[in-house]
Structure formats: structure tokens, C-alpha cells
Amino acid sequence: MRSRFLRLCLRASCSPACSARYQTPVAVGGDDDDAVCLGRGNAQGSPEYVACRKDRDVQRNAATARADRRQRDLGEYMLNHPERP
């Protein structure tokens, strides 16, 4: 039982998804928000620019929430299915 727990901990620590969990996901396009919104022809400070930045923030927050939910679901699955490494 103890060796199974140690293997589980080792696998979790080696997983790249776990190591990058607290990094902010890049918004759609992978570019700087300011550069993306300005590149769309929106003048800085205009209502369209502000809406673009808000949309990018919403996308980033949704990606973070999805990543957190997947990590939590994986942890719960691993706790509920100890027979499957």
C-alpha cells in the first residue's frame, strides 16, 4: 500500500500538467493582449479596445477554470480508483 502511494506521488510530481498548473494560460492567439487588440484596429481607450481586452480576460479566466477543474477531477479519480496506476 505504501509503495503504491509513493508511485502515485512520483507520477504526480513528474507530470508536466502539474508543474505548470499555476501558470496563467495564454489567451487565444498566444499574443500580448494589447498588441492583439491594437492589431485589430482598435484605438487604445476606445470602447472597442476595452471590449477586446475584457473578452481576452474572460477567455483567460475560462481557460484557468477549465485547467483547475481538470486537475481536481484527475485528483478525485486517482483517489477513487487506487487500483489503476
Side-chain angles (χ1 to χ4, degrees), residues 22-44:
Y22 295 107
Q23 294 176 354
T24 304
V26 178
V28 176
D31 299 323
D32 178 39
D33 290 347
D34 189 50
V36 169
C37 293
L38 290 174
R40 292 180 180 168
N42 301 324
Q44 195 168 12

Side-chain angles (χ1 to χ4, degrees), residues 2-77:
R2 184 176 179 179
S3 65
R4 187 181 302 169
F5 177 75
L6 291 175
R7 282 187 287 161
L8 179 67
C9 290
L10 180 62
R11 284 186 184 173
S13 66
C14 293
S15 174
C18 294
S19 65
R21 179 174 181 200
Y22 295 107
Q23 294 176 354
T24 304
V26 178
V28 176
D31 299 323
D32 178 39
D33 290 347
D34 189 50
V36 169
C37 293
L38 290 174
R40 292 180 180 168
N42 301 324
Q44 195 168 12
S46 69
E48 293 83 12
Y49 176 84
V50 172
C52 176
R53 291 295 299 257
K54 285 182 181 180
D55 289 343
R56 304 274 297 177
D57 286 341
V58 167
Q59 291 172 353
R60 184 176 301 104
N61 290 338
T64 301
R66 281 192 308 273
D68 287 345
R69 186 171 49 249
R70 281 192 306 255
Q71 184 69 29
R72 186 183 64 244
D73 292 345
L74 176 62
E76 288 177 5
Y77 176 82

